[in-house]
Amino acid sequence: MKIGVITKREKAHKTGSVMRETMGRLESRGVAVEEIFPEDARVEVAGVEADCDLYLLKSGTEAALSLAGVLHAAGARIINPYPTVVAMRDKIISTKLLQDANVPLPETWFASKPGQLAGLLKEGPIVVKPFWAASQGRGVQIIRTEEELSEASGEDGVVFAQRYYQPDGRDHKLYVIGDRVFGVRRVWPPATLEDKLGEPFDVPEGMRETALGCGRAFGVGLYGVDLITSDGKPYVVDINTFPGFKGVPNASELLADYVLSSIEG
Amino acid sequence: MKLHFMIVRRVPPVPSPVLVECYEILRGRGYTVTEDIAEEVIQRSDLAKIDADIYLLKSHTELSLALAGVLFTQGANMLNPYQSCSLIQSKIITSKLLRQAGVPAPDSWVTGDLSMAKSLLEKHPLIIKPHMGHRGAGVHLCKTPEDIDKIPPPETPMIIQEAIPGPGEDLKIYCVGDQVQGVRKQFSESSFSVAGRHGEITDEIRKISQRVGEVCGLGLYGLDIIESDRGPYVVDVNYFPGYKGVPNAAGMIADYIDDYARGKVTLTPPV
């Protein structure tokens, strides 16, 4: 059995990386693990073959996603599947799927020019985010005035906006592996290493259901959810296709189990 | 039955004559035809719902594709299928699909580091372009390592292809179902809107073009072909092109949509 891990070289070799540990565990269970670094490669497209039993799409870069697309066209099994990752990374499509699954979300709009959103500011601030593949808060702006709005830039002619809700406390990171849900509270943006690791907490039943609902919306079992509460109400503000699982107890063992069970079907 | 066309804002803002004529024919056959430009409205994603029997995705903008994706999640019937349009936006995936199906397409590589392309120049000149994009934007012909050095460091993966030597003009192929029409024109970044000459095509090119439709799951589509000494090569594929220079394009498109609406033709996305 062979598993290909599509990752970034600098990430894969960081000590304490959950993925690094997971690969070690898979190898000790007799699985061959091949690391694939799309950034370092010159890939001959016609020569790409799905020669691993399963691929893990850990990296979220455009190069990684292109390679996953080619592997998908060649019939590969990928966690998470390529079309699913495309839907999850497109905030417009993912919002609709989450709404259909009754996941609590901020009110959401999209347009082609920031000016089209001006009317929304009468009801309060909005958050403008890149609609495609935003991660770790990059490009996220809280907009309170028309002036701020006019300076906000869209991306490829798309402006994605959500109502801003003042969070009650720290952000909640929910990590899902199969039907297990783990919670870590984090300060955003992190200033210290402690902030980065966050503080694990017991996930209440309602929050657990919300996290699992996100997975059902896309048909996936390995993902992360960013959730805030405002006035006591939960709002899912982001979905990650393959998070770092930092701060999750036993993460590498659970991941290795999950990966092996999904190969065995 | 209601048909909804998702179109793009044109510059200058005059409607496409092919579409206008197509709408007229379809209305004459009892269809309700509507259109809109995604860029002109603010949308609330929770309100997006299906209100047409068939959606026709004519626009290639990111916003239109995302909206098409939303409609797809709601189970909309879309011509061409959303999955097909979404996959072929990536030139890398398209290249894989074509080569895997035995369609002649240039050797292709993908990288984020263009210095890795230089050794390929020992064999042949290269075409280097962004992995997404259309209409000749950002396409570089490179014959020497210096040509590659002149390309600004890419922000997205680049596709590198063997530059297939051709007769100095592109063959644009426009397909409506299994009907294949050819238009020959000079390639240039600025002249994509210039009509070419409608011309004869060989049986080989007809078969290749039809095969591309099967492989990609497209019914209304276009190809760029280079007719080289080694035979024809498919260098680009796009969904619902402009059909500029194709005689009776509107009539053929309307007939095809009519057949599709009656269930006489079906399209299967690649994967």
Side-chain angles (χ1 to χ4, degrees):
Chain A
M1 189 159 342
K2 189 170 157 196
I3 293 180
V5 180
I6 304 171
T7 182
K8 281 193 226 169
R9 193 178 292 278
E10 65 274 19
K11 287 243 168 120
H13 292 270
K14 239 187 217 169
T15 44
S17 140
V18 171
M19 202 59 224
R20 174 93 270 156
E21 279 176 41
T22 307
M23 289 190 282
R25 284 184 192 273
L26 288 168
E27 279 169 337
S28 70
R29 293 193 205 175
V31 177
V33 177
E34 184 192 342
E35 289 175 272
I36 302 161
F37 305 112
E39 263 70 19
D40 295 5
R42 186 186 75 195
V43 178
E44 190 193 353
V45 177
V48 172
E49 277 177 47
D51 55 4
C52 293
D53 300 279
L54 178 73
Y55 291 86
L56 303 180
L57 179 55
K58 173 71 190 89
S59 166
T61 63
E62 289 292 311
L65 199 60
S66 313
L67 178 61
V70 175
L71 285 166
H72 172 71
R77 282 181 64 187
I78 308 174
I79 290 179
N80 290 312
Y82 172 78
T84 309
V85 173
V86 170
M88 291 173 85
R89 286 160 64 102
D90 183 316
K91 284 204 192 306
I92 296 174
I93 296 173
S94 64
T95 299
K96 185 64 185 170
L97 285 167
L98 293 170
Q99 283 165 344
D100 289 347
N102 293 318
V103 170
L105 296 174
E107 269 188 294
T108 302
W109 299 268
F110 50 99
S112 65
K113 288 197 206 84
Q116 290 169 307
L117 304 171
L120 303 176
L121 294 172
K122 284 180 212 131
E123 310 277 316
I126 57 174
V127 183
V128 171
K129 305 176 179 181
F131 89 105
W132 174 248
S135 78
Q136 305 186 334
R138 262 196 303 272
V140 175
Q141 292 165 276
I142 300 172
I143 306 277
R144 294 188 168 79
T145 64
E146 285 199 30
E147 198 184 356
E148 284 170 349
L149 184 62
S150 66
E151 283 160 17
S153 58
E155 177 190 26
D156 298 321
V158 184
V159 187
F160 177 89
Q162 292 185 315
R163 179 63 66 201
Y164 174 72
Y165 304 95
Q166 176 76 44
D168 292 337
R170 284 174 289 177
D171 292 2
H172 303 82
K173 286 267 179 196
L174 302 174
Y175 295 111
V176 182
I177 303 174
D179 57 1
R180 310 279 297 266
V181 182
F182 303 89
V184 176
R185 282 196 195 93
R186 263 190 218 141
V187 182
W188 184 261
T192 64
L193 179 64
E194 222 163 60
D195 290 352
K196 234 178 172 176
L197 289 173
E199 178 204 350
F201 69 99
D202 285 332
V203 180
E205 188 51 32
M207 215 179 259
R208 183 173 181 275
E209 266 311 303
T210 296
L212 293 174
C214 295
R216 281 194 296 270
F218 299 103
V220 295
L222 205 61
Y223 56 96
V225 175
D226 290 359
L227 184 142
I228 61 157
T229 53
S230 177
D231 265 346
K233 275 186 268 175
Y235 297 96
V236 169
V237 293
D238 206 4
I239 299 282
N240 310 297
T241 51
F242 206 131
F245 297 99
K246 212 170 263 151
V248 174
N250 273 336
S252 59
E253 184 147 13
L254 292 167
L255 279 173
D257 286 347
Y258 179 86
V259 166
L260 286 177
S261 69
S262 59
I263 293 182
E264 284 148 14
Chain B
M1 188 176 283
K2 187 172 166 189
L3 309 172
H4 184 78
F5 286 73
M6 303 168 76
I7 62 164
V8 72
R9 184 190 296 134
R10 286 161 55 98
V11 185
V14 285
S16 144
V18 171
L19 278 189
V20 169
E21 195 188 333
C22 182
Y23 294 173
E24 258 172 48
I25 299 169
L26 289 165
R27 285 182 180 126
R29 292 183 196 172
Y31 289 96
T32 303
V33 179
T34 56
E35 63 171 25
D36 74 5
I37 298 173
E39 279 68 21
E40 293 185 348
V41 276
I42 168 170
Q43 315 264 358
R44 248 181 77 168
S45 54
D46 53 338
L47 298 183
K49 62 171 197 292
I50 299 172
D51 58 5
D53 299 286
I54 301 172
Y55 287 86
L56 294 113
L57 179 58
K58 176 77 185 79
S59 166
H60 298 76
T61 65
E62 295 282 352
L63 188 61
S64 298
L65 262 172
L67 261 179
V70 167
L71 290 165
F72 170 67
T73 68
Q74 303 303 296
N77 184 355
M78 201 167 294
L79 174 62
N80 300 292
Y82 166 74
Q83 305 103 299
S84 300
C85 299
S86 172
L87 282 176
I88 68 155
Q89 283 300 96
S90 160
K91 294 183 194 299
I92 300 169
I93 297 175
T94 307
S95 164
K96 180 66 186 172
L97 289 171
L98 297 183
R99 288 288 292 260
Q100 182 163 274
V103 173
D107 284 340
S108 299
W109 297 264
V110 57
T111 187
D113 178 359
L114 289 180
S115 67
M116 290 193 200
K118 288 182 181 171
S119 63
L120 296 170
L121 285 169
E122 288 161 17
K123 282 200 205 146
H124 42 63
L126 299 169
I127 295 285
I128 299 184
K129 52 191 177 183
H131 74 308
M132 299 282 190
H134 55 281
R135 284 186 163 174
V139 177
H140 304 270
L141 170 64
C142 299
K143 293 179 176 159
T144 65
E146 291 72 38
D147 291 341
I148 292 180
D149 289 334
K150 279 182 210 149
I151 303 174
E155 287 173 18
T156 65
M158 301 291 272
I159 185 158
I160 300 156
Q161 295 185 320
E162 177 191 357
I164 306 286
E169 58 177 11
D170 266 7
L171 173 59
K172 292 275 194 200
I173 297 287
Y174 294 109
C175 300
V176 179
D178 57 8
Q179 301 175 81
V180 182
Q181 305 284 328
V183 173
R184 292 191 164 80
K185 67 185 210 177
Q186 297 290 321
F187 173 79
S188 126
E189 276 193 34
S190 57
S191 72
F192 61 78
S193 58
V194 176
R197 296 173 289 109
H198 182 244
E200 287 298 308
I201 52 165
T202 63
D203 278 350
E204 186 187 15
I205 288 178
R206 189 178 313 280
K207 287 210 180 80
I208 288 170
S209 305
Q210 290 165 342
R211 182 84 183 110
V212 171
E214 284 166 29
V215 170
C216 299
L218 297 166
L220 297 169
Y221 61 101
L223 314 178
D224 289 355
I225 285 187
I226 293 177
E227 298 169 284
S228 82
D229 297 344
R230 289 179 274 155
Y233 279 78
V234 177
V235 294
D236 209 0
V237 180
N238 48 80
Y239 65 81
F240 213 145
Y243 295 96
K244 197 164 277 218
V246 177
N248 190 31
M252 285 193 294
I253 296 167
D255 285 347
Y256 184 77
I257 293 171
D258 197 6
D259 283 352
Y260 182 85
R262 290 165 194 274
K264 289 186 190 163
V265 287
T266 51
L267 296 169
T268 312
V271 268

PDB file of all heavy atoms in Angstrom, chain A residues 180-199:
ATOM      1  N   ARG A 180     -15.092  12.501  15.218  1.00  0.00           N
ATOM      2  CA  ARG A 180     -14.508  13.124  16.402  1.00  0.00           C
ATOM      3  C   ARG A 180     -14.335  14.618  16.158  1.00  0.00           C
ATOM      4  O   ARG A 180     -13.828  15.015  15.106  1.00  0.00           O
ATOM      5  CB  ARG A 180     -13.124  12.505  16.709  1.00  0.00           C
ATOM      6  CG  ARG A 180     -13.106  10.981  16.741  1.00  0.00           C
ATOM      7  CD  ARG A 180     -13.600  10.441  18.068  1.00  0.00           C
ATOM      8  NE  ARG A 180     -12.755  10.843  19.172  1.00  0.00           N
ATOM      9  CZ  ARG A 180     -11.748  10.106  19.646  1.00  0.00           C
ATOM     10  NH1 ARG A 180     -11.445   8.957  19.094  1.00  0.00           N
ATOM     11  NH2 ARG A 180     -11.050  10.529  20.688  1.00  0.00           N
ATOM     12  N   VAL A 181     -14.755  15.410  17.119  1.00  0.00           N
ATOM     13  CA  VAL A 181     -14.639  16.871  16.995  1.00  0.00           C
ATOM     14  C   VAL A 181     -13.813  17.395  18.165  1.00  0.00           C
ATOM     15  O   VAL A 181     -14.096  17.070  19.324  1.00  0.00           O
ATOM     16  CB  VAL A 181     -16.031  17.541  16.996  1.00  0.00           C
ATOM     17  CG1 VAL A 181     -15.891  19.059  16.810  1.00  0.00           C
ATOM     18  CG2 VAL A 181     -16.918  16.957  15.897  1.00  0.00           C
ATOM     19  N   PHE A 182     -12.784  18.170  17.839  1.00  0.00           N
ATOM     20  CA  PHE A 182     -11.921  18.748  18.872  1.00  0.00           C
ATOM     21  C   PHE A 182     -11.989  20.258  18.781  1.00  0.00           C
ATOM     22  O   PHE A 182     -12.061  20.812  17.689  1.00  0.00           O
ATOM     23  CB  PHE A 182     -10.474  18.287  18.677  1.00  0.00           C
ATOM     24  CG  PHE A 182     -10.341  16.800  18.690  1.00  0.00           C
ATOM     25  CD1 PHE A 182     -10.459  16.074  17.509  1.00  0.00           C
ATOM     26  CD2 PHE A 182     -10.154  16.121  19.876  1.00  0.00           C
ATOM     27  CE1 PHE A 182     -10.369  14.696  17.520  1.00  0.00           C
ATOM     28  CE2 PHE A 182     -10.059  14.741  19.899  1.00  0.00           C
ATOM     29  CZ  PHE A 182     -10.179  14.022  18.714  1.00  0.00           C
ATOM     30  N   GLY A 183     -11.915  20.883  19.960  1.00  0.00           N
ATOM     31  CA  GLY A 183     -11.994  22.338  19.978  1.00  0.00           C
ATOM     32  C   GLY A 183     -10.750  22.965  20.573  1.00  0.00           C
ATOM     33  O   GLY A 183     -10.203  22.473  21.550  1.00  0.00           O
ATOM     34  N   VAL A 184     -10.311  24.056  19.940  1.00  0.00           N
ATOM     35  CA  VAL A 184      -9.200  24.840  20.476  1.00  0.00           C
ATOM     36  C   VAL A 184      -9.622  26.309  20.408  1.00  0.00           C
ATOM     37  O   VAL A 184     -10.108  26.765  19.365  1.00  0.00           O
ATOM     38  CB  VAL A 184      -7.906  24.613  19.646  1.00  0.00           C
ATOM     39  CG1 VAL A 184      -6.791  25.512  20.150  1.00  0.00           C
ATOM     40  CG2 VAL A 184      -7.471  23.151  19.698  1.00  0.00           C
ATOM     41  N   ARG A 185      -9.464  27.026  21.515  1.00  0.00           N
ATOM     42  CA  ARG A 185      -9.758  28.461  21.504  1.00  0.00           C
ATOM     43  C   ARG A 185      -8.497  29.228  21.187  1.00  0.00           C
ATOM     44  O   ARG A 185      -7.443  28.933  21.743  1.00  0.00           O
ATOM     45  CB  ARG A 185     -10.273  28.917  22.875  1.00  0.00           C
ATOM     46  CG  ARG A 185     -11.691  28.571  23.119  1.00  0.00           C
ATOM     47  CD  ARG A 185     -12.240  29.379  24.280  1.00  0.00           C
ATOM     48  NE  ARG A 185     -13.488  28.784  24.726  1.00  0.00           N
ATOM     49  CZ  ARG A 185     -13.580  27.884  25.708  1.00  0.00           C
ATOM     50  NH1 ARG A 185     -12.506  27.517  26.390  1.00  0.00           N
ATOM     51  NH2 ARG A 185     -14.755  27.365  26.032  1.00  0.00           N
ATOM     52  N   ARG A 186      -8.623  30.186  20.300  1.00  0.00           N
ATOM     53  CA  ARG A 186      -7.441  30.945  19.910  1.00  0.00           C
ATOM     54  C   ARG A 186      -7.703  32.428  19.840  1.00  0.00           C
ATOM     55  O   ARG A 186      -8.800  32.840  19.485  1.00  0.00           O
ATOM     56  CB  ARG A 186      -6.972  30.493  18.528  1.00  0.00           C
ATOM     57  CG  ARG A 186      -5.889  29.496  18.689  1.00  0.00           C
ATOM     58  CD  ARG A 186      -5.202  29.160  17.426  1.00  0.00           C
ATOM     59  NE  ARG A 186      -4.942  27.735  17.520  1.00  0.00           N
ATOM     60  CZ  ARG A 186      -5.029  26.889  16.547  1.00  0.00           C
ATOM     61  NH1 ARG A 186      -5.317  27.300  15.355  1.00  0.00           N
ATOM     62  NH2 ARG A 186      -4.813  25.629  16.765  1.00  0.00           N
ATOM     63  N   VAL A 187      -6.673  33.196  20.156  1.00  0.00           N
ATOM     64  CA  VAL A 187      -6.750  34.644  19.972  1.00  0.00           C
ATOM     65  C   VAL A 187      -6.364  34.926  18.524  1.00  0.00           C
ATOM     66  O   VAL A 187      -5.422  34.333  18.011  1.00  0.00           O
ATOM     67  CB  VAL A 187      -5.733  35.364  20.887  1.00  0.00           C
ATOM     68  CG1 VAL A 187      -5.846  36.873  20.746  1.00  0.00           C
ATOM     69  CG2 VAL A 187      -5.923  34.943  22.322  1.00  0.00           C
ATOM     70  N   TRP A 188      -7.104  35.812  17.871  1.00  0.00           N
ATOM     71  CA  TRP A 188      -6.729  36.183  16.509  1.00  0.00           C
ATOM     72  C   TRP A 188      -6.457  37.668  16.429  1.00  0.00           C
ATOM     73  O   TRP A 188      -7.249  38.438  16.924  1.00  0.00           O
ATOM     74  CB  TRP A 188      -7.804  35.772  15.500  1.00  0.00           C
ATOM     75  CG  TRP A 188      -7.337  36.092  14.135  1.00  0.00           C
ATOM     76  CD1 TRP A 188      -7.667  37.176  13.382  1.00  0.00           C
ATOM     77  CD2 TRP A 188      -6.404  35.345  13.372  1.00  0.00           C
ATOM     78  NE1 TRP A 188      -6.989  37.150  12.209  1.00  0.00           N
ATOM     79  CE2 TRP A 188      -6.199  36.038  12.174  1.00  0.00           C
ATOM     80  CE3 TRP A 188      -5.679  34.161  13.606  1.00  0.00           C
ATOM     81  CZ2 TRP A 188      -5.309  35.593  11.191  1.00  0.00           C
ATOM     82  CZ3 TRP A 188      -4.823  33.734  12.626  1.00  0.00           C
ATOM     83  CH2 TRP A 188      -4.648  34.441  11.431  1.00  0.00           C
ATOM     84  N   PRO A 189      -5.372  38.154  15.869  1.00  0.00           N
ATOM     85  CA  PRO A 189      -4.257  37.347  15.373  1.00  0.00           C
ATOM     86  C   PRO A 189      -3.341  36.923  16.504  1.00  0.00           C
ATOM     87  O   PRO A 189      -3.248  37.628  17.498  1.00  0.00           O
ATOM     88  CB  PRO A 189      -3.534  38.319  14.420  1.00  0.00           C
ATOM     89  CG  PRO A 189      -3.885  39.696  14.904  1.00  0.00           C
ATOM     90  CD  PRO A 189      -5.217  39.592  15.585  1.00  0.00           C
ATOM     91  N   PRO A 190      -2.651  35.773  16.350  1.00  0.00           N
ATOM     92  CA  PRO A 190      -1.800  35.285  17.430  1.00  0.00           C
ATOM     93  C   PRO A 190      -0.545  36.149  17.568  1.00  0.00           C
ATOM     94  O   PRO A 190       0.053  36.535  16.575  1.00  0.00           O
ATOM     95  CB  PRO A 190      -1.431  33.868  16.993  1.00  0.00           C
ATOM     96  CG  PRO A 190      -1.591  33.861  15.517  1.00  0.00           C
ATOM     97  CD  PRO A 190      -2.620  34.893  15.167  1.00  0.00           C
ATOM     98  N   ALA A 191      -0.164  36.450  18.817  1.00  0.00           N
ATOM     99  CA  ALA A 191       1.036  37.266  19.043  1.00  0.00           C
ATOM    100  C   ALA A 191       2.171  36.405  19.592  1.00  0.00           C
ATOM    101  O   ALA A 191       3.326  36.622  19.268  1.00  0.00           O
ATOM    102  CB  ALA A 191       0.714  38.396  20.014  1.00  0.00           C
ATOM    103  N   THR A 192       1.839  35.425  20.389  1.00  0.00           N
ATOM    104  CA  THR A 192       2.869  34.581  21.005  1.00  0.00           C
ATOM    105  C   THR A 192       2.679  33.132  20.580  1.00  0.00           C
ATOM    106  O   THR A 192       1.662  32.782  19.979  1.00  0.00           O
ATOM    107  CB  THR A 192       2.744  34.629  22.540  1.00  0.00           C
ATOM    108  OG1 THR A 192       1.473  34.055  22.893  1.00  0.00           O
ATOM    109  CG2 THR A 192       2.787  36.053  23.062  1.00  0.00           C
ATOM    110  N   LEU A 193       3.685  32.308  20.924  1.00  0.00           N
ATOM    111  CA  LEU A 193       3.579  30.883  20.614  1.00  0.00           C
ATOM    112  C   LEU A 193       2.366  30.278  21.336  1.00  0.00           C
ATOM    113  O   LEU A 193       1.644  29.445  20.795  1.00  0.00           O
ATOM    114  CB  LEU A 193       4.863  30.165  21.022  1.00  0.00           C
ATOM    115  CG  LEU A 193       4.873  28.650  20.764  1.00  0.00           C
ATOM    116  CD1 LEU A 193       4.793  28.341  19.267  1.00  0.00           C
ATOM    117  CD2 LEU A 193       6.113  27.999  21.370  1.00  0.00           C
ATOM    118  N   GLU A 194       2.143  30.753  22.553  1.00  0.00           N
ATOM    119  CA  GLU A 194       1.008  30.270  23.341  1.00  0.00           C
ATOM    120  C   GLU A 194      -0.315  30.557  22.614  1.00  0.00           C
ATOM    121  O   GLU A 194      -1.202  29.718  22.548  1.00  0.00           O
ATOM    122  CB  GLU A 194       1.009  30.978  24.693  1.00  0.00           C
ATOM    123  CG  GLU A 194       0.699  30.054  25.854  1.00  0.00           C
ATOM    124  CD  GLU A 194       1.130  30.692  27.163  1.00  0.00           C
ATOM    125  OE1 GLU A 194       0.594  31.787  27.452  1.00  0.00           O
ATOM    126  OE2 GLU A 194       1.976  30.116  27.860  1.00  0.00           O
ATOM    127  N   ASP A 195      -0.394  31.775  22.067  1.00  0.00           N
ATOM    128  CA  ASP A 195      -1.587  32.147  21.286  1.00  0.00           C
ATOM    129  C   ASP A 195      -1.789  31.173  20.136  1.00  0.00           C
ATOM    130  O   ASP A 195      -2.899  30.780  19.792  1.00  0.00           O
ATOM    131  CB  ASP A 195      -1.419  33.541  20.677  1.00  0.00           C
ATOM    132  CG  ASP A 195      -1.470  34.636  21.729  1.00  0.00           C
ATOM    133  OD1 ASP A 195      -1.780  34.308  22.886  1.00  0.00           O
ATOM    134  OD2 ASP A 195      -1.202  35.803  21.367  1.00  0.00           O
ATOM    135  N   LYS A 196      -0.661  30.804  19.507  1.00  0.00           N
ATOM    136  CA  LYS A 196      -0.701  29.960  18.320  1.00  0.00           C
ATOM    137  C   LYS A 196      -1.218  28.567  18.664  1.00  0.00           C
ATOM    138  O   LYS A 196      -1.979  27.968  17.913  1.00  0.00           O
ATOM    139  CB  LYS A 196       0.694  29.857  17.707  1.00  0.00           C
ATOM    140  CG  LYS A 196       0.724  30.243  16.246  1.00  0.00           C
ATOM    141  CD  LYS A 196       2.123  30.179  15.720  1.00  0.00           C
ATOM    142  CE  LYS A 196       2.119  30.372  14.209  1.00  0.00           C
ATOM    143  NZ  LYS A 196       3.469  30.412  13.672  1.00  0.00           N
ATOM    144  N   LEU A 197      -0.766  28.055  19.803  1.00  0.00           N
ATOM    145  CA  LEU A 197      -1.201  26.717  20.209  1.00  0.00           C
ATOM    146  C   LEU A 197      -2.647  26.732  20.683  1.00  0.00           C
ATOM    147  O   LEU A 197      -3.378  25.777  20.491  1.00  0.00           O
ATOM    148  CB  LEU A 197      -0.288  26.182  21.315  1.00  0.00           C
ATOM    149  CG  LEU A 197       1.111  25.808  20.837  1.00  0.00           C
ATOM    150  CD1 LEU A 197       1.996  25.446  22.011  1.00  0.00           C
ATOM    151  CD2 LEU A 197       1.057  24.653  19.844  1.00  0.00           C
ATOM    152  N   GLY A 198      -3.050  27.848  21.280  1.00  0.00           N
ATOM    153  CA  GLY A 198      -4.422  27.954  21.753  1.00  0.00           C
ATOM    154  C   GLY A 198      -4.666  27.101  22.978  1.00  0.00           C
ATOM    155  O   GLY A 198      -3.745  26.511  23.550  1.00  0.00           O
ATOM    156  N   GLU A 199      -5.938  27.036  23.345  1.00  0.00           N
ATOM    157  CA  GLU A 199      -6.296  26.310  24.557  1.00  0.00           C
ATOM    158  C   GLU A 199      -7.419  25.326  24.223  1.00  0.00           C
ATOM    159  O   GLU A 199      -8.503  25.723  23.795  1.00  0.00           O
ATOM    160  CB  GLU A 199      -6.786  27.335  25.592  1.00  0.00           C
ATOM    161  CG  GLU A 199      -7.228  26.745  26.876  1.00  0.00           C
ATOM    162  CD  GLU A 199      -8.206  27.668  27.596  1.00  0.00           C
ATOM    163  OE1 GLU A 199      -8.378  28.825  27.174  1.00  0.00           O
ATOM    164  OE2 GLU A 199      -8.820  27.202  28.569  1.00  0.00           O
TER     165      GLU A 199
END
